[in-house]
Amino acid sequence: MSSIAEQIAVWLATTKAENLPEEAVETGRRLFLDVAGLCIAARNEDYISATLASVDRGGSCTVLGQTGGFDAFGAAIVNGTAAHGEDYDDTFEGGPVHSGAVIVPAVLAACEREGLGGDRFLMGLTTGVELMCRLSLVAPMATHNAGFHPTAVFGALAAAGGVAAALRLPQMQIVSALGIAGSMASGIIEYLAEGTWTKRMHAGWAAQSGLRAALMARGGFLGPRTVFEGVHGVYRAFAPSVKPNFEPLVEGLGSRWVLPTVAFKPYACGTMTQPFIDCAIRLAESGVRPEDVMEIECEAAAGTLPRLWEPLAIKHKPPTPYAAKFSTPFCMAVGFFDRRAGLAQFTTGRVQDPQVLALAAKIRYVVDPANEYPRKFTGHLRAVLTDGRRLEFRQPCMRGGAEAPLDTDELEAKFVENARYGGWTAPAADRLLVASRQLFTEPTLDVVKEFRS
């Protein structure tokens, strides 16, 4: 019988860019645009300066928002870290994983390194994202429960697959690329303890790991073909609490695409907080003032508690702006006051604002055993007011996801706002919008150099 990696390799080796469904192509364009805007937005951040200090300049590859060229591995890790750094990048309901921040940097670096054109970039991007989303469905929640970040773990494997597809590696080399990447997968979630930076680098590390795995396989290095289902395979190592179900990974591969259901975030914070922010904004828009609120109770999924609700005392008063992104109470409170939760809502000043913290301290949760997480991300609040009234709001789905997607104008406005945040002028941002529309039809990727500062 064929191993799981061998079945994936057949798909990656035989899928052609010209046969991709139009919605997959459009999602690929959206992913590149979103990632590019986020890289530009983060270009001056301290964690990007620290990452840049670890890589070599002088190569042919682009770090979006930075000057000059870089080697492929350096470009992949910096772009991935920048794209994921503010937690404003795409997500996948059912995983969850952040695919664009891994796959775009890995495949872009591979294509620039090898002098490939837009069709190869499109091929690697779409198949890599499709693979990453499907990998996350095999053992939902079990990777998080084991203390690992699914984006980091599955990202390395999916990046290897996407790069292999872009390079048009033969089937057995693709199998080895996936097998090699299994030994490069990593990423613990201890960043939650103090709001430190390591989650930010997970996407970049996965991107460079997948790139290296594919290139090593092309050079003849061998990896295990049972990397997924083996006794010592990826799921046994990173999701040991459940028996993996590989049907969502291989069923309909090539004929049914989950890629178009990727969600684009309207808010710059943790994925599962987003519907709760919508509820908080609706509470504010109903005319309620912060001093009117006695308490707010939210129905939450048990699987989200360790990352977004607990320890509740710390979530009420997050120690850093980055930690605030993973505090549902803070995100709801700042959304209530500002009617938004963009990059400007997660600064040191905003995280220390006494009014925001006072409202956050009134927010608590109860577990909803019927919550559909991780298949679906929903939000809820029940507010008790000082005059005795009780107001309740529910958000049945994540805005930006499959049930309520952001339209093209909203996504392009997000890109422009992010580019302006990173110091780009409005005319420059508009030029990049035009460049992104022609990316996949160009014989070379020289147009990407326009995204250098």
Side-chain angles (χ1 to χ4, degrees), residues 30 260 262-264 397-408 410:
R30 286 171 159 241
V262 164
F264 293 88
C397 62
M398 178 182 170
R399 281 198 313 114
E403 294 185 38
L406 301 184
D407 61 31
T408 299
E410 289 176 295

Side-chain angles (χ1 to χ4, degrees), residues 51-128:
T51 309
L52 285 168
S54 73
V55 303
D56 296 327
R57 295 177 181 264
S60 60
C61 298
T62 299
V63 171
L64 301 163
Q66 303 293 334
T67 58
F70 294 76
D71 78 287
F73 303 110
I77 194 170
V78 178
N79 280 329
T81 302
H84 189 51
E86 296 304 319
D87 232 77
Y88 206 0
D89 50 324
D90 64 275
T91 189
F92 176 63
E93 293 175 281
V97 287
H98 305 278
S99 55
V102 177
I103 306 303
V104 170
V107 178
L108 178 62
C111 289
E112 286 195 292
R113 182 183 191 269
E114 302 290 318
L116 304 178
D119 61 333
R120 299 284 197 95
F121 181 40
L122 172 64
M123 187 71 248
L125 169 55
T126 53
T127 55

Side-chain angles (χ1 to χ4, degrees), residues 205-242:
W205 185 260
Q208 70 147 30
S209 297
L211 171 61
R212 191 175 295 277
L215 293 176
M216 289 176 69
R218 186 175 68 174
F221 204 97
L222 300 179
R225 70 184 182 88
T226 53
V227 63
F228 296 112
E229 72 273 32
V231 173
H232 305 291
V234 167
Y235 290 96
R236 179 66 66 89
F238 294 106
S241 62
V242 302

Side-chain angles (χ1 to χ4, degrees), residues 26 29-30 33-34 37 264 406-420 429-430 432-437:
E26 176 58 20
R29 188 189 80 83
R30 286 171 159 241
L33 186 67
D34 203 42
F264 293 88
L406 301 184
D407 61 31
T408 299
D409 288 344
E410 289 176 295
L411 197 66
E412 292 187 347
K414 177 185 174 181
F415 168 80
V416 171
E417 181 179 327
N418 285 334
R420 296 295 302 276
D430 288 339
L432 298 185
L433 277 176
V434 173
S436 73
R437 296 185 186 117

Side-chain angles (χ1 to χ4, degrees), residues 276 283 293-301 304-305 308-313 315-316 327-330 332-333 357-368 379-384 390:
F276 290 91
L283 177 66
V293 178
M294 285 185 61
E295 67 172 14
I296 294 176
E297 181 182 84
C298 301
E299 294 175 1
T304 68
L305 303 186
L308 301 175
W309 286 99
E310 289 291 350
L312 191 56
K315 299 301 184 182
H316 281 157
S327 161
T328 306
F330 176 85
M332 292 177 68
L357 294 178
L359 182 58
K362 298 177 182 179
I363 300 173
R364 59 186 180 86
Y365 71 88
V366 294
V367 174
D368 174 15
H380 164 266
L381 71 79
R382 185 182 300 108
V384 180
R390 294 174 180 264

